[in-house]
């Protein structure tokens, strides 16, 4: 009787997981204390699941999809993540970069992650409507298209329920406040948890 019980105990212990975040200032915690960012909050939750779990936040303020695509190969080899969270594109959009280029860069990152054996979570962004309706729609739509094409998990809009809500955005109107971080973390955690 004791052997099956021991075996059941082993199964209940989740395997060690490594999560790599490829993001920009929104994931780097711009304007707030680093240990209060959604990524830092998720790391605590991750450690609760298994103390050996690792979170590598490779997010850089100002990062673009081309920068991420350039960096990801080395990071995948170095950390060998089980899950890669991609939160990029916002800076490209604010610069008016061609949608085709943004999509190609994101696709390259997704494919490289999958080839390295990682599951991918894509966090969608939107840009202000003053960039023109067509561009704004194409920008937002590319995340859904990429998720369908590569059969990956995605969040349509990372700042859903945060953007335009009083107290949730910093004065620049681009970066979420301290109050928004737990909401973002929970929205992403719901996608990550089944993968653990």
């Amino acid at each position: 009787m004791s052997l099956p019980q021991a075996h059941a105990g082993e199964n209940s212990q989740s395997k060690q997981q490594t999560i790599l975040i490829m993001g920009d200032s929104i994931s780097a915690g711009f304007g707030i204390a680093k240990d209060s960012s959604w990524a830092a909050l998720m790391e605590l939750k991750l450690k609760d699941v298994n103390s050996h779990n690792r979170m590598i936040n490779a997010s850089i303020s100002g990062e673009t999809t081309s920068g991420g695509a350039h960096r990801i190969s080395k990071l995948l080899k170095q950390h060998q993540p089980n899950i890669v969270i991609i939160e990029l594109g916002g800076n490209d959009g604010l610069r008016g970069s061609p949608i085709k280029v943004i999509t190609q860069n994101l696709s390259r990152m997704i494919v490289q992650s999958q080839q390295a054996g990682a599951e991918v979570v894509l966090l969608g962004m939107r840009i202000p409507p003053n960039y023109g309706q067509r561009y704004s729609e194409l920008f937002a739509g590319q995340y859904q298209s990429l998720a369908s094409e590569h059969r990956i998990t995605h969040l349509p809009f990372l700042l859903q329920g945060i953007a335009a809500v009083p107290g949730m955005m910093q004065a620049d109107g681009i970066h979420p406040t301290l109050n928004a971080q737990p909401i973002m973390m929970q929205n992403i955690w719901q996608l990550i948890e089944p993968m653990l």
Side-chain angles (χ1 to χ4, degrees), residues 22-56:
M22 299 293 296
D24 53 31
S25 54
I26 289 175
S27 295
F30 179 86
I32 59 169
K34 283 279 191 291
D35 60 358
S36 302
S37 70
W38 75 259
L41 296 177
M42 181 172 282
E43 184 172 20
L44 293 175
K45 213 163 173 70
L46 199 62
K47 297 275 188 188
D48 279 346
V49 174
N50 185 328
S51 61
H52 298 294
N53 283 341
R54 292 191 309 144
M55 170 82 84
I56 292 93

Side-chain angles (χ1 to χ4, degrees), residues 22 64-66 69 72 86-89 92 99-113 120 122-123 139 142-143 146 150 152:
M22 299 293 296
T64 60
T65 56
S66 60
I72 195 167
I86 300 174
E87 180 273 305
L88 286 170
D92 303 66
I99 301 295
K100 185 179 178 182
V101 174
I102 305 172
T103 304
Q104 283 173 347
N105 288 332
L106 289 170
S107 184
R108 206 168 119 205
M109 294 177 73
I110 293 165
V111 169
Q112 285 190 30
S113 300
V120 180
L122 184 62
L123 305 180
F139 180 85
Q142 71 183 325
Y143 294 97
L146 284 163
H150 297 287
I152 58 170

